[in-house]
Amino acid sequence: MAATVKVITKPPRTLADQAYIPAIAQGLRLTMGRFFKNTFSAREDGEIVTLMYPEETEAYPERFRGIHRLTQRADGSPRCVACLCCSTACPAQCIHIEAGEYGEGDPRHGYERYPVTFVIDELRCIFCGYCVEACPCDAIRMDTGAHMPPSTSRDHFLYDKETLLSLPGRDGSYLTANPRHEPGDASHPAWTASAATDTCPPSGGVFDFY
Ligand code: SF4
Ligand code: SF4
């Protein structure tokens, strides 16, 4: 079968188009219009409408997500179990995690891991929220309501584990409202106390689902 070719004719370009003069004039008109509007239309307090950013910021909408944070357990340790679900789901590939095991004697030893390294490159992030959706532990959230402070250094946008754990949510909390059931915690909805002597992990309890 013969291939069909669609011919698209370029619109003719006038001399004015080629010189870009009307486009430049249009751009300047917009810029100068904004300049005079901001300079001469004062707010109620007499100040011009331009904000003194970053000292002053606009109030963000309630649904503004903001930068990430890692939620904490009651003892201050990260809820994250380094399962890598978030970094796998991230389309921008901007989450770097290195997993480690809890030490001998820790009730979480052999039961779950923790992030030795957890870094998010906030400059590469597209704020899609997939990482939050992918997390099975409610360990990563985008509810800080804050954006990254401006900086001239790329390194300042690499948020490490300590920084992410130090950021509170909008409500000021470092935790989450979702309960977390630690190994051996009888408050787990699937815990059966009669099976507490069972040798199944974790810590001798039986979890019907998780
Ligand atoms: S919000 Fe999206 S792009 Fe940003 S870290 Fe999460 S998954 Fe990646
Ligand atoms: S933040 Fe959540 S999804 Fe990401 S590694 Fe930790 S537990 Fe897994």
Side-chain angles (χ1 to χ4, degrees):
M1 192 177 82
T4 52
V5 178
K6 187 174 179 183
V7 179
I8 298 174
T9 316
K10 277 189 180 177
R13 302 182 76 179
T14 64
L15 185 62
D17 289 337
Q18 296 280 46
Y20 297 105
I21 289 171
I24 291 171
Q26 206 176 6
L28 281 176
R29 186 170 60 84
L30 190 67
T31 306
M32 296 314 287
R34 291 277 188 270
F35 170 76
F36 286 115
K37 186 176 170 210
N38 283 350
T39 307
F40 295 112
S41 43
R43 294 192 309 218
E44 279 178 8
D45 57 7
E47 295 286 331
I48 60 172
V49 269
T50 305
L51 283 177
M52 298 300 285
Y53 181 84
E55 289 79 15
E56 272 185 313
T57 52
E58 284 281 6
Y60 293 125
E62 229 173 75
R63 295 184 62 194
F64 174 71
R65 289 173 170 155
I67 46 177
H68 307 75
R69 71 177 172 112
L70 285 178
T71 56
Q72 301 181 9
R73 303 178 199 205
D75 65 0
S77 63
R79 281 174 71 116
C80 173
V81 295
C83 66
L84 310 188
C85 284
C86 55
S87 56
T88 305
C90 176
Q93 299 188 349
C94 60
I95 305 178
H96 173 73
I97 301 167
E98 284 170 26
E101 292 283 352
Y102 286 101
E104 293 279 355
D106 191 301
R108 294 165 291 191
H109 175 71
Y111 171 67
E112 62 184 34
R113 304 186 300 176
Y114 75 100
V116 179
T117 306
F118 195 116
V119 180
I120 301 181
D121 185 343
E122 298 284 355
L123 274 189
R124 286 184 65 175
C125 172
I126 56 170
F127 291 87
C128 61
Y130 283 5
C131 51
V132 179
E133 296 297 324
C135 181
C137 301
D138 197 14
I140 184 168
R141 284 192 159 211
M142 295 172 78
D143 62 353
T144 56
H147 66 70
M148 296 150 294
S151 171
T152 52
S153 168
R154 269 197 83 87
D155 291 348
H156 292 167
F157 296 97
L158 298 175
Y159 280 44
D160 62 11
K161 183 176 78 174
E162 286 68 32
T163 307
L164 292 165
L165 281 167
S166 72
L167 294 167
R170 263 204 187 83
D171 59 359
S173 172
Y174 297 91
L175 313 175
T176 91
N178 292 328
R180 184 185 164 89
H181 305 283
E182 303 294 348
D185 181 355
S187 68
H188 193 287
W191 173 269
T192 51
S194 61
T197 53
D198 200 294
T199 52
C200 291
S203 303
V206 171
F207 287 75
D208 298 333
F209 64 87
Y210 191 49

